[in-house]
């Protein structure tokens, strides 16, 4: 798991270092965040640490996304793309407090944010099937509830990845698509909803949008 996380950070460093200034300023799939903001956010665990992150989460009523938005503004001002790439390489093997963000959470964050950057820029970025499977299982499990996946989003739905031979979830309504599209849908990215099929898509759309 730690080797997978390290490799994803190296891949992210290569991606960020390859982007032009205009691409870094483009909107990402994360609402209100530029590509540069998303890239800077990935350095937060070792720059801020639990002593900064936990109080921010508490201050925002345990709304992780709001806490992240507060912290990322500071990081994005301080770090250039070159510095972000260097930080990701130097800290590739860094592990965050597992009680707050498990290794699976870290792996999932890196994969999703990579697509947050690449999709709006029209860049192709293949995800590693084995890692996608681990993240999909994580997102359907209890550890992701309330942080990666709001409570109630998955109720009554069964998710099927056509390209990974994977299915999970309790429900009669189905949501089908590629593993990458499901990964983004589960984490609330509406851009992929039109790529999904099945009797549960309408319910998922209503919960995301």
């Amino acid at each position: 798991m730690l080797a997978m996380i390290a490799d994803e950070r190296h891949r992210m460093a290569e991606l960020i270092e390859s982007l032009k200034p205009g691409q870094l300023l483009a909107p990402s799939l994360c609402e209100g965040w530029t590509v540069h903001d998303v890239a800077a956010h990935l350095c937060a665990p070792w720059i801020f640490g639990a002593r900064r992150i936990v109080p921010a989460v508490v201050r925002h009523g345990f709304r992780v996304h709001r806490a992240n938005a507060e912290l990322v503004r500071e990081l994005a001002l301080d770090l250039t793309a070159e510095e972000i790439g260097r930080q990701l390489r130097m800290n590739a093997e860094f592990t965050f407090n597992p009680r707050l963000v498990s290794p699976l959470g870290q792996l999932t964050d890196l994969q999703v944010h990579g697509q947050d950057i690449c999709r709006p820029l029209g860049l192709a970025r293949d995800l590693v099937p084995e890692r996608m499977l681990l993240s999909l299982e994580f997102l359907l499990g209890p550890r992701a509830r309330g942080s990666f996946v709001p409570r109630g989003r998955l109720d009554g739905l069964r998710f099927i990845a056509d390209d990974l031979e994977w299915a999970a979830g309790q429900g009669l309504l189905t949501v089908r698509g590629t593993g990458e599209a499901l990964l983004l849908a589960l984490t609330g990215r509406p851009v992929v909803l039109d790529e999904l099929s099945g009797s549960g898509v309408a319910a998922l759309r209503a919960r995301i949008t």
Side-chain angles (χ1 to χ4, degrees):
M1 180 65 63
L2 298 182
M4 292 180 189
I5 293 170
D7 182 61
E8 288 293 336
R9 286 186 176 133
H10 281 290
R11 292 183 70 204
M12 189 67 71
E14 292 177 5
L15 168 63
I16 294 161
E17 290 166 348
S18 73
L19 299 179
K20 299 176 181 178
Q23 292 175 307
L24 290 164
L25 294 175
S28 73
L29 293 187
C30 295
E31 186 176 357
W33 286 18
T34 66
V35 166
H36 185 213
D37 291 336
V38 174
H41 159 72
L42 297 174
C43 301
W46 54 83
I47 290 179
F48 288 142
R51 291 185 179 182
R52 287 284 304 280
I53 294 175
V54 173
V57 172
V58 173
R59 189 163 55 250
H60 287 279
F62 294 92
R63 298 178 181 89
V64 176
H65 297 297
R66 292 188 180 183
N68 280 334
E70 173 191 315
L71 296 172
V72 79
R73 285 192 291 270
E74 182 179 334
L75 273 180
L77 289 173
D78 290 342
L79 296 176
T80 66
E82 182 180 353
E83 289 166 338
I84 292 169
R86 184 165 58 251
Q87 284 281 338
L88 287 167
R89 294 181 196 282
M90 289 173 54
N91 297 278
E93 297 181 359
F94 177 87
T95 56
F96 197 52
N97 187 332
R99 291 173 296 176
L100 299 172
V101 182
S102 70
L104 276 170
Q106 294 172 65
L107 181 66
T108 302
D109 204 47
L110 286 158
Q111 292 182 90
V112 171
H113 283 318
Q115 302 313 103
D116 287 336
I117 290 171
C118 287
R119 270 186 170 254
L121 295 178
L123 301 176
R125 181 176 186 267
D126 293 331
L127 297 177
V128 180
E130 177 190 4
R131 299 173 193 177
M132 271 197 292
L133 283 170
L134 289 171
S135 289
L136 288 168
E137 287 289 342
F138 166 72
L139 291 170
L140 267 291
R143 291 293 298 274
R145 295 292 190 278
S147 53
F148 285 83
V149 181
R151 299 184 187 282
R153 177 177 289 169
L154 311 183
D155 291 354
L157 301 178
R158 181 166 178 79
F159 296 87
I160 304 167
D162 295 323
D163 58 340
L164 297 176
E165 298 185 356
W166 171 88
Q170 302 296 322
L172 299 177
L173 300 178
T174 60
V175 178
R176 307 183 70 107
T178 65
E180 186 253 3
L182 291 178
L183 193 69
L184 295 182
L186 289 167
T187 50
R189 276 63 174 174
V191 68
V192 299
L193 289 171
D194 289 341
E195 301 173 22
L196 304 177
S197 63
S199 56
V201 174
L204 181 62
R205 183 185 298 274
R207 296 170 190 178
I208 291 177
T209 59

